Amino acid sequence: MKKLLLVLLLATTAFADDVITRGAAVPKDAKAIPLATVLQNPESYTKEAVVVEGVIAASCTRQGCWMQLAPSEEKDAQSVRVTFKDYGFFIPLQAKGMKARAEGVAVVKTLSKADADHLEEEGAKLKRQQDGTALEVSFIANGVELKK
C-alpha cells in the first residue's frame, strides 16, 4: 500500500506541469506579498498567513528541511530561511535555483550558537552576533510550490 501511494505521489508530482508541491495547497488566487516587504517589517506578518514568492538561493543539503528564499537570483539579495510547519514535509535536495511560492508566517527569533552552527553546516548563511548567536527572520510555510 505504501509503495502504491509513493508511486502515485511521484507520478502526480512528475506530470503536474513541472510543479512540485509539498504540504498544504498554496491558494492559487492569493496575491503574493513581495518578500522584500516582509523582510522590511517582519513583525507585521507573524499572525496571519501570507503568500511570498522568490528563488531558492540555498537549501538544506542533508534532507531538504529548509530553504533560503530570495526575491531574485541576484547574488547578494536579502533572503529568508523558510522552514516547514511541524517539520511536516521536505523539499528536493536539488531545489537550489528553483522558483518557489510559499504560504505561511514570519518569525523573528534569536538562534543559539549551537543552532546557528548546525544551520551553517547545512549551508545556511546567517549574520552572527559577537557571542555566536544569530538574530534571524524566518518564515514557517504551511505549503510550498516549486518550479524549475
Side-chain angles (χ1 to χ4, degrees):
M1 181 69 163
K2 288 183 181 180
K3 287 182 182 179
L4 176 61
L5 290 174
L6 181 60
V7 169
L8 289 173
L9 176 64
L10 291 174
T12 302
T13 301
F15 299 112
D17 295 326
D18 292 314
V19 175
I20 299 170
T21 59
R22 297 289 190 265
V26 178
K28 300 284 184 213
D29 60 345
K31 183 177 178 195
I33 304 291
L35 191 54
T37 301
V38 174
L39 291 171
Q40 285 174 351
N41 191 9
E43 292 82 7
S44 296
Y45 301 95
T46 60
K47 302 274 190 266
E48 293 185 32
V50 296
V51 174
V52 294
E53 296 176 333
V55 176
I56 300 175
S59 64
C60 173
T61 58
R62 294 187 180 163
Q63 60 187 359
C65 62
W66 58 265
M67 63 183 180
Q68 198 77 27
L69 192 63
S72 68
E73 294 182 31
E74 291 178 29
K75 184 179 179 188
D76 295 326
Q78 187 179 11
S79 62
V80 63
R81 189 170 63 92
V82 178
T83 58
F84 311 118
K85 186 176 181 183
D86 298 329
Y87 212 60
F89 57 94
F90 302 111
I91 60 170
L93 297 179
Q94 315 80 1
K96 183 178 178 179
M98 291 180 155
K99 293 182 177 153
R101 183 172 164 88
E103 181 188 45
V105 295
V107 176
V108 181
K109 65 182 174 183
T110 300
L111 298 173
S112 69
K113 181 183 180 316
D115 286 344
D117 289 345
H118 173 82
L119 289 172
E120 284 184 338
E121 286 172 8
E122 292 180 343
K125 306 239 185 298
L126 302 171
K127 292 183 182 177
R128 296 285 194 120
Q129 298 176 25
Q130 286 189 355
D131 63 358
T133 63
L135 183 62
E136 180 187 46
V137 174
S138 64
F139 193 82
I140 299 176
N142 301 319
V144 298
E145 293 177 348
L146 309 174
K147 291 183 182 182
K148 293 183 181 185

